[in-house]
Structure formats: C-alpha cells, structure tokens
C-alpha cells in the first residue's frame, strides 16, 4: 500500500505524531503488538513535571503544557489533574537538589515541617531541604493515547497492529516496509519505535545513533494503614533514590533504577525493587509489608539525554522521533507537532535553538 508517511511504533510518540501528520498527509502506523501503548507508554508514572529533563526539554514541556491545558481536539475531558511534585533531600543529596533548583521555574522552597505536613510518613532527615512544583499534574495517559488514535482515524489515518516491520528497503525514493500484513511504502518513514529505534534504523540501512534503553521498576504499595494519601504530592528524592505518587488511594513506588539493557518486553527485577524499598525505608516511618503489583518499563535515551526529532542527514526521508527517556508522555503533544511541522513543511512552533538541539544532525550531521 502506498502512503505519504509510514510511522513505525504505536506508543504515545508514534500515535500522537501520526495523528498530527494525518491533517496533511496519508499515514499508516505499524505496531508489532496486538494493541497500541503496550510498552513504555503503558507503564509510566503518568506525571507532568515542567522542570524535569534539562534546558531543551523544559522548552518542549512548556509547549506541551499549552496542549494539555486545552485538549479539545482529542477529548472533552481533562487530561491533567492537580498533583504537585515535592523534591526532598537528605544531607548527602543537597548538591543534587541545588543543581535541580538552579534551573527550575515556578518552584517553591519548603521547610522540613512543611514537607512533613504534605507527606507525613517522611522522616525529618529525609527532607533536610525540600521544594515543591505545585503545577505538576497527573496525566490521563489512556485518554491521551486513545484520543490521538481517534483523531488519527478520524483524519483517515490507518493503524495496523500485529504488524511488525520485518524488513525495510529504500528504492526509487520510497521506503518499503515488509510486515506480516503486507508491504507498505512511502517517501517518508518515521522511526518512533521507542527502545527499538536503533534496531529499526539498522534494519533500514541507516546508522544507529547510540540510543540506550534503561529499565526502571515500579510497584503499587498499599497506603499506610488508616492514612488517606489522595492529597499527597508526588514525592521524589532529589538524588533519585526513590519516588512515590498517590494512585487511586494507594502509592505508586519506584526505586528510580536505570539499568542499561537491550530492547525487550521489560519485566520487573525483584532485587532492584527490594534495594529501592530498602532506601525508601531509611526515609519514611511507613513499614512496607506488601507489594500489590509490580512492573518495569524501558526509558530510552540518546547519549546526551535529549530526545532526537528530525530527518536523518544521511538517509533521505528517514525521520527520527526517539530517545524520549523519562519524559515521553509529557512531551508527546509538542514533539508530535514538531514532527508534523518538519515533515509537512510548516514553521515549527518551538524556538529555532530548541529544534536544532533536538535534531539528529547533532550526531550525524
Ligand atoms: C517506570 C516509568 C515511568 C515513567 N514515567 C513517566 C512520566 O511520569 N512522564 C513521562 O512523560 N514519561 C514517563 N516515562 C517515559 C515514557 O513512558 C516514555 O518516554 C514513552 O512512553 C516513550 O514512548 P514511545 O512511543 O517512544 O515508546 P513505546 O511506548 O515503547 O512505543 C514504541 C512502540 O514501537 C513498537 N515497535 C518497536 N519495533 C517495531 C517494529 N519493528 N515494527 C512495528 N512496531 C515496532 C513497540 O512495540 C512499541 O509499542 C516513564 C517510563 C517508565 C518506564
């Protein structure tokens, strides 16, 4: 089947970009699994933190926030709910805290007492210094993903699940992608394959960029007995030793692990979870006796930790949308808009310096 654009990857990156592209091009999205959002996009902490991700990413976050605040194009329901993100530091984490606060916008410092009032299980020594981004929000990830999928279909785009790209060739200006559901061809190929972005590039004969997937564990813990946690902010140790986030009356917990690995269907590692719970135990008065559910996902980073969005300089029509690491949900609306602008030939809404900083040309230009 001949299209204008083929998108590989049915996570939030691919689905949102395909939806934006469908406004001006015929688009087919190919996904290996039988449903969209099966990998990283279905396993996140679902938080929007304006200050997370460094200078380039905070520009992207700000642009994405405008969409999240007014998502009428994809849903009548709100995508965000107030949560707040509180950063806490032990004595040995003060340098990490200082570093974060130096670049942070709209963050308020808190006393130890104020921090403990917001999250009463914290030990005072765990919050020697504390700050809060009150504007941090919980994201409804399902609504975001399926809202963009609906927009894509409404605009005539096609989502093919159970359709792994098994071979990719470039002939006569067209990318030809072979899948169990047949062959698809287009002059533009968007590589939004998450942890598999480098292998997909190599399958297409394009040089890999050195993207590395890092596994991160997460778990659901019962709320401390007799405690209502719904109004707590997300609480993050400034040196990323652990975080917790209220989740439907319980606590989502992560040991903030980042183990370099290869692309795979990530599964939880008991030892990493246990070590993280041990670090958590030093900082809280809550004794965790039960883990209700646990999982793991991959956060895939470029060597400089900045997402890669733009046409490959060496391979005509090959577009990278990868390396979103730990901010792929919150940045998706802005990176999708940038993808569509660069492919359809519109002026990007993001500042020029940000577009340059995201470009794959920084590696292979
Ligand atoms: C524990 C955890 C917590 C996180 N918390 C947050 C958070 O709070 N906020 C935030 O913004 N981000 C968070 N993230 C990061 C976020 O989840 C990712 O950045 C984002 O989901 C990446 O989306 P993606 O579409 O690039 O990748 P994915 O969702 O992994 O999608 C890639 C898709 O490509 C498909 N694919 C691969 N190869 C092929 C092929 N050959 N043919 C067809 N399809 C293929 C895969 O099957 C997969 O579905 C978190 C991640 C983890 C693991």
């Amino acid at each position: 089947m001949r299209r204008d654009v083929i998108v590989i990857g049915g996570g939030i990156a691919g689905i949102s970009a395909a939806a934006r592209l469908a406004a001006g091009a015929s688009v087919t999205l190919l996904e290996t699994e039988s449903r969209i959002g099966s990998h990283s996009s279905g396993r996140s902490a679902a938080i929007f933190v304006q200050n997370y991700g460094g200078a380039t990413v905070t520009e992207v976050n700000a642009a994405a926030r405008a969409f999240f605040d007014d998502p009428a194009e994809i849903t009548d329901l709100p995508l965000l709910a107030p949560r707040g993100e509180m950063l806490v530091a032990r004595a040995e984490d003060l340098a990490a805290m200082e570093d974060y606060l130096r670049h942070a916008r709209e963050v308020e410092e808190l006393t130890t007492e104020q921090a403990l009032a917001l999250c009463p299980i914290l030990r005072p020594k765990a919050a020697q210094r504390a700050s809060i981004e009150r504007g941090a929000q919980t994201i409804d990830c399902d609504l975001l993903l399926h809202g963009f999928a609906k927009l894509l279909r409404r605009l005539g785009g096609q989502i093919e699940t159970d359709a792994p790209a098994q071979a990719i060739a470039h002939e006569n200006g067209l990318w030809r992608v072979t899948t169990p559901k047949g062959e698809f061809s287009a002059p533009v190929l968007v590589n939004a394959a998450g942890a598999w972005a480098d292998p997909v590039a190599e399958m297409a004969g394009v040089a890999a960029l050195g993207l590395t997937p890092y596994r991160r564990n997460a778990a659901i813990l019962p709320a401390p007995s007799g405690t209502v946690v719904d109004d707590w902010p997300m609480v993050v140790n400034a040196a990323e030793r652990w975080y917790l986030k209220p989740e439907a009356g319980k606590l989502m917990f992560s040991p903030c692990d980042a183990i370099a690995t290869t692309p795979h269907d990530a599964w939880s590692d008991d030892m990493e979870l246990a070590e993280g719970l041990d670090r958590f135990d030093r900082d809280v008065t809550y004794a965790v006796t039960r883990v209700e559910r646990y999982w793991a996902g991959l956060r895939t980073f470029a060597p400089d930790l900045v997402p890669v969005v733009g046409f490959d300089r060496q391979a005509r029509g090959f577009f990278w949308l990868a390396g979103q690491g730990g901010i792929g949900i919150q940045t998706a609306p802005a990176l999708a808009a940038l993808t569509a602008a660069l492919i359809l030939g519109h002026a990007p809404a993001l500042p020029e310096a940000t577009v340059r900083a995201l470009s794959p040309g920084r590696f292979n230009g």
Side-chain angles (χ1 to χ4, degrees):
M1 179 180 294
R2 167 72 206 268
R3 309 291 272 171
D4 296 329
V5 183
I6 296 168
V7 178
I8 297 184
I12 189 59
I15 293 286
S16 55
R20 286 293 176 224
L21 282 160
S26 59
V27 182
T28 291
L29 180 139
L30 304 173
E31 167 54 46
T32 298
E33 307 293 349
S34 52
R35 60 181 182 86
I36 59 173
S38 306
H39 288 285
S40 301
S41 300
R43 305 175 191 204
S44 85
I47 191 87
F48 185 106
V49 178
Q50 166 61 35
N51 288 300
Y52 196 48
T56 299
V57 170
T58 49
E59 286 290 346
V60 180
N61 293 340
R65 182 63 193 255
F67 172 83
F68 277 112
D69 285 337
D70 181 13
E73 279 172 289
I74 65 164
T75 174
D76 296 335
L77 299 170
L79 284 172
L80 299 181
R83 174 57 58 202
E85 189 223 23
M86 182 162 74
L87 215 61
V88 293
R90 298 169 64 96
E92 62 265 41
D93 309 327
L94 292 176
M97 182 87 171
E98 187 61 45
D99 202 40
Y100 186 87
L101 291 180
R102 201 171 306 124
H103 305 285
R105 304 178 197 171
E106 292 177 30
V107 164
E108 220 178 283
E109 287 229 35
L110 300 174
T111 62
T112 302
E113 292 67 36
Q114 286 172 317
L116 267 58
L118 288 172
C119 180
I121 59 171
L122 283 172
R123 295 182 194 277
K125 67 179 180 199
Q128 289 214 354
R129 200 168 171 195
S131 68
I132 190 160
E133 180 183 321
R134 292 197 192 273
Q137 307 272 322
T138 295
I139 304 170
D140 187 331
C141 293
D142 267 3
L143 195 56
L144 181 68
L145 182 76
H146 291 284
F148 273 121
K150 264 192 220 152
L151 176 64
L152 170 60
R153 291 195 179 102
R154 199 161 67 233
L155 293 172
Q158 181 189 13
I159 298 175
E160 292 286 351
T161 51
D162 295 310
Q166 294 169 317
I168 305 173
H170 196 227
E171 290 159 11
N172 304 323
L174 289 181
W175 293 98
R176 291 188 189 285
V177 183
T178 308
T179 79
K181 289 194 161 171
E183 191 176 275
F184 299 84
S185 62
V188 174
L189 182 69
V190 176
N191 179 4
W196 291 265
D198 264 356
V200 161
E202 284 169 334
M203 194 192 306
V206 175
L209 296 182
L211 296 163
T212 308
Y214 292 85
R215 187 180 57 229
R216 174 155 287 187
N217 286 277
I220 298 292
L221 311 176
S225 155
T227 310
V228 176
V229 299
D230 298 337
D231 291 339
W232 292 6
M234 182 177 188
V235 184
V236 182
N237 168 272
E240 295 212 12
R241 299 181 203 282
W242 55 264
Y243 67 69
L244 65 79
K245 180 183 164 242
E247 186 85 47
K250 301 175 191 247
L251 292 177
M252 179 198 166
F253 168 82
S254 173
C256 292
D257 47 337
I259 308 295
T261 182
T262 49
H264 69 289
D265 188 359
W267 67 90
S268 188
D269 182 300
D270 290 357
M271 191 53 81
E272 282 157 25
L273 199 54
E275 284 172 7
L277 285 169
D278 198 47
R279 293 193 292 276
F280 184 53
D281 188 59
R282 292 191 304 150
D283 285 351
V284 294
T285 54
Y286 160 46
V288 177
T289 52
R290 194 158 49 91
V291 172
E292 294 197 353
R293 190 163 68 80
Y294 46 86
W295 69 95
L298 301 179
R299 300 154 80 244
T300 299
F301 290 91
D304 60 2
L305 310 182
V306 174
V308 189
V309 186
F311 279 109
D312 191 281
R313 290 273 174 87
Q314 320 292 339
R316 195 177 169 77
F318 189 93
F319 192 97
W320 292 88
L321 176 56
Q324 294 89 336
I327 42 82
I329 310 288
Q330 66 177 46
T331 55
L335 296 183
L338 175 61
T339 298
L342 294 175
I343 292 174
L344 300 176
H346 304 149
L350 287 168
E352 207 182 310
T354 307
V355 175
R356 250 198 326 274
L358 294 165
S359 156
R362 68 190 197 266
F363 300 116
N364 62 8

